[in-house]
Each structure stands twice: as C-alpha cells, then as structure tokens.
C-alpha cells in the first residue's frame, strides 16, 4: 500500500471545526491540525457566535499556513454544533471529512491513521480512541467497541464523539449530516443512524483524540440544555427499540433533570423517575446517589 504521505490524493480530507466563543481553546485546536502528518485539503472553522477573538485566531493561522486553505465562517443563529458541522462539510469537496470540536485536540498521526484504516477496511466511518484530560491531567481513556449494533449505541454511550469521527463524504451525504434539532448527543445520533442504515465502521484503538474537560460552556456538563437534549434524543429513537432497551437513557435523562432542578417538587419527580429507571449498568455511569468527596 502506498504511503499517504506520498499519495496526496489519498489524503483528501476536509477538517471541520465548529466553534462557540472559546478562542483560548481554539488556538490549540487548530495548532493540532497544523501539526498533522497528513496535510488536509482544507480547514473550515465555523463559529455560531460573534466572539471577535475567534476570527482573529483563524486569521493568525491563515498567515502561518500556506500549504492548505483555512476558512472562517460566522453564523448568528446559534443553532449549535450540528449546523456548524453541516455547513463546513458542505463547503468542502474532499472525499473524506473529519470533525474536531474547538476544545479538543488531535495527536499528530490522527488523520494519517484514520485514513489508512478507511483505506484498508473499505469502511464508511472510522472512530478513534479518546483520552480525556483537564488542567489536572489525564482522567481516562475510552476505546469504542468494534462490533457495536444499533441497539448497543442506543442503549449505552458508544464512546464516540464528534472529534473522533472521520467519514467518507458519500456516507455524510447519505445520512444528511448531523441532526440540527439535537443540542446534545448529535454525534451519537450520527453514528447510530449510520449503523441503522447498514454502514460499516472500523476502530483505531490508539487514543489519538484528546477531549478536554472544562467549565466553559461544555455540553457534557449537567445543564437544562443537556437534560432536554437527552430527552429529545430518546424521543427520536425510542419507537425503534424496546422499553427495556431505553432504560439507561431514561435513567440518564431523569438524573440530569434531577441534578439541575431547583424546586423540591421537581427534584422529587425526577428522583422517582430515576429510581424507576435505574439498572446496574446505568448506575455505573451515573450513580443514583452522588458520592460525597
């Protein structure tokens, strides 16, 4: 097999970075793209707010980089990361599309290994291992299972995030991109719909995707938006699966609502709902009674 470094046509990948007003993280994110061992065809930074420093970061990177174009698109509708990903992907034309959130990082060989995996396997999508980190250091590694069925992805987190997905453009087009109605779990929804449609995926277990934990508007933090988003994802897909198969999601939704509720009646309601939906596997992900530190 010809090396991707010496076969530019094999490395035709567009990189899409949805941004939400976090220039201090975005700079490092784009840097991790510039240091890739495979040169992307283009980079599209799509901002859904009007933070002035975001465009400044992109302009600085444009001056530094001359081997591939870096584009900046600004939106004001605040419709979330899904629309930003879709917009950036549609503006590109490469055979492959890679997505990277503005607070995450790639190790230098991420794109090279992802593209090689797709070339070897002929799969539609490659997902890569994830390393979680924060200012305190590395907090864990997650590797997706290589034999997931649609119901596995619906029932439990598949350990896949937007930053760890590289797909063929044909697959992205067939799926219609990311669902803009989902404020959270849109990457999980994308992966689930791919499996439901019969698409194939391959796993690169190396933790080459670094997912940052922080408090600056991260959607994985417990908020009303996250609680509503999980409930929306559940409503979208639950008719295709049994009541027991939706148990973990119902528990996660109830526990998230419980953690953000302020009134005692609401807390009582969501505690009862989480108790009713509790299972050992769900409890391992989110304890029914939070531990005290």
């Amino acid at each position: 097999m010809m090396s991707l470094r010496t076969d530019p046509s094999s490395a035709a990948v567009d990189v899409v970075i949805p941004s939400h007003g976090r220039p201090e993280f975005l700079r490092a994110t784009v840097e991790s793209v510039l240091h890739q061992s495979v040169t992307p065809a283009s980079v599209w930074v799509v901002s859904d707010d009007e933070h002035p420093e975001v465009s400044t970061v992109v302009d600085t990177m444009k001056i530094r980089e001359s081997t591939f174009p870096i584009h900046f698109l600004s939106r004001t509708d605040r419709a979330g990361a899904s629309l930003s990903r879709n917009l950036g992907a549609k503006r590109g034309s490469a055979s492959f599309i890679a997505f990277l959130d503005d607070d995450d990082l790639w190790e230098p060989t991420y794109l090279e290994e992802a593209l090689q995996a797709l070339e070897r396997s002929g799969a539609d999508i490659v997902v890569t291992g994830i390393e979680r980190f924060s200012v305190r250091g590395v907090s864990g590694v997650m590797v997706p299972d290589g034999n997931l069925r649609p119901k596995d992805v619906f029932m439990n987190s598949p350990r896949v995030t937007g930053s760890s997905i590289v797909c063929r453009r044909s697959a992205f087009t067939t799926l219609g991109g990311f669902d803009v109605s989902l404020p959270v779990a849109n990457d999980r929804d994308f992966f689930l719909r791919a499996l439901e449609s019969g698409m194939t995926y391959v796993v690169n277990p190396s933790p080459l995707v670094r997912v940052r934990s922080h408090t600056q508007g991260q959607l994985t933090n417990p908020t009303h938006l996250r609680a509503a988003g999980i409930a929306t994802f559940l409503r979208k897909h639950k008719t295709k699966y049994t009541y027991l198969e939706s148990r973990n999601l119902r528990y996660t939704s109830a526990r998230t609502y419980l953690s953000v509720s302020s009134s005692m009646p609401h807390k009582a309601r969501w505690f009862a709902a989480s108790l009713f939906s509790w299972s050992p596997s769900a409890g391992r992900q989110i304890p029914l009674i939070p531990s005290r530190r």
Side-chain angles (χ1 to χ4, degrees):
M1 181 179 65
M2 187 175 292
S3 169
L4 290 169
R5 287 195 177 99
T6 59
D7 183 11
S9 63
S10 297
V13 56
D14 292 317
V15 176
V16 180
I17 303 174
S19 178
H20 184 70
R22 294 183 286 225
E24 69 279 16
F25 296 151
L26 177 62
R27 187 180 301 278
T29 297
V30 178
E31 286 275 6
S32 77
V33 178
L34 299 186
H35 293 152
Q36 289 297 298
S37 57
V38 160
T39 301
S42 67
V43 174
W44 298 83
V45 178
V46 187
S47 174
D48 66 355
D49 65 12
E50 298 180 278
H51 198 299
E53 291 183 36
V54 170
S55 60
T56 300
V57 168
V58 178
D59 287 341
T60 301
M61 296 299 177
K62 285 181 180 179
I63 294 172
R64 286 182 46 192
E65 182 55 54
S66 60
T67 57
F68 59 87
I70 301 176
H71 306 276
F72 176 71
L73 302 174
S74 180
R75 299 172 26 232
T76 57
D77 45 46
R78 302 200 172 211
S82 287
L83 187 57
S84 292
R85 290 182 185 133
N86 292 349
L87 180 58
K90 290 175 182 177
R91 289 293 186 94
S93 59
S95 300
F96 302 96
I97 312 171
F99 303 94
L100 177 60
D101 290 349
D102 68 346
D103 48 356
D104 297 338
L105 306 169
W106 287 337
E107 292 295 331
T109 61
Y110 170 74
L111 285 179
E112 180 178 5
E113 293 190 31
L115 292 168
Q116 285 177 340
L118 286 171
E119 185 176 276
R120 284 194 303 265
S121 66
D124 301 290
I125 295 171
V126 58
V127 290
T128 297
I130 296 166
E131 177 185 84
R132 292 194 173 277
F133 76 102
S134 68
V135 293
R136 297 187 180 93
V138 176
S139 57
V141 171
M142 301 189 306
V143 178
D145 190 285
N147 299 294
L148 292 172
R149 300 162 298 174
K151 75 173 184 178
D152 299 324
V153 176
F154 176 75
M155 291 172 60
N156 298 292
S157 171
R159 300 173 182 170
V160 172
T161 183
S163 297
S164 66
I165 293 173
V166 179
C167 66
R168 297 181 187 276
R169 179 170 294 277
S170 57
F172 178 87
T173 301
T174 298
L175 293 171
F178 291 82
D179 187 341
V180 299
S181 71
L182 294 175
V184 301
N186 41 65
D187 39 16
R188 181 174 177 177
D189 170 80
F190 181 88
F191 190 56
L192 173 58
R193 288 187 289 117
L195 297 191
E196 288 176 339
S197 69
M199 293 182 183
T200 58
Y201 76 99
V202 63
V203 175
N204 177 4
S206 301
L208 302 178
V209 179
R210 306 193 68 218
V211 173
R212 187 193 305 266
S213 298
H214 59 86
T215 58
Q216 312 226 2
Q218 195 163 38
L219 290 176
T220 52
N221 296 331
T223 63
H224 286 285
L225 179 65
R226 176 163 180 77
I230 295 170
T232 302
F233 176 84
L234 177 59
R235 285 194 300 272
K236 175 179 178 179
H237 293 287
K238 70 177 182 179
T239 58
K240 295 173 286 187
Y241 300 95
T242 68
Y243 187 77
L244 287 177
E245 288 169 346
S246 68
R247 188 174 183 178
N248 283 2
L249 266 175
R250 287 186 284 108
Y251 173 79
T252 301
S253 177
R255 280 292 293 121
T256 307
Y257 272 118
L258 174 61
S259 68
V260 299
S261 295
S262 56
S263 71
M264 287 308 297
H266 284 157
K267 284 184 177 293
R269 172 193 173 188
W270 292 116
F271 181 78
S274 59
L275 187 63
F276 184 73
S277 301
W278 184 89
S279 69
S281 60
R284 284 193 294 270
Q285 296 180 52
I286 306 178
L288 184 62
I289 305 298
S291 61
R292 293 184 179 180
R293 296 181 181 271

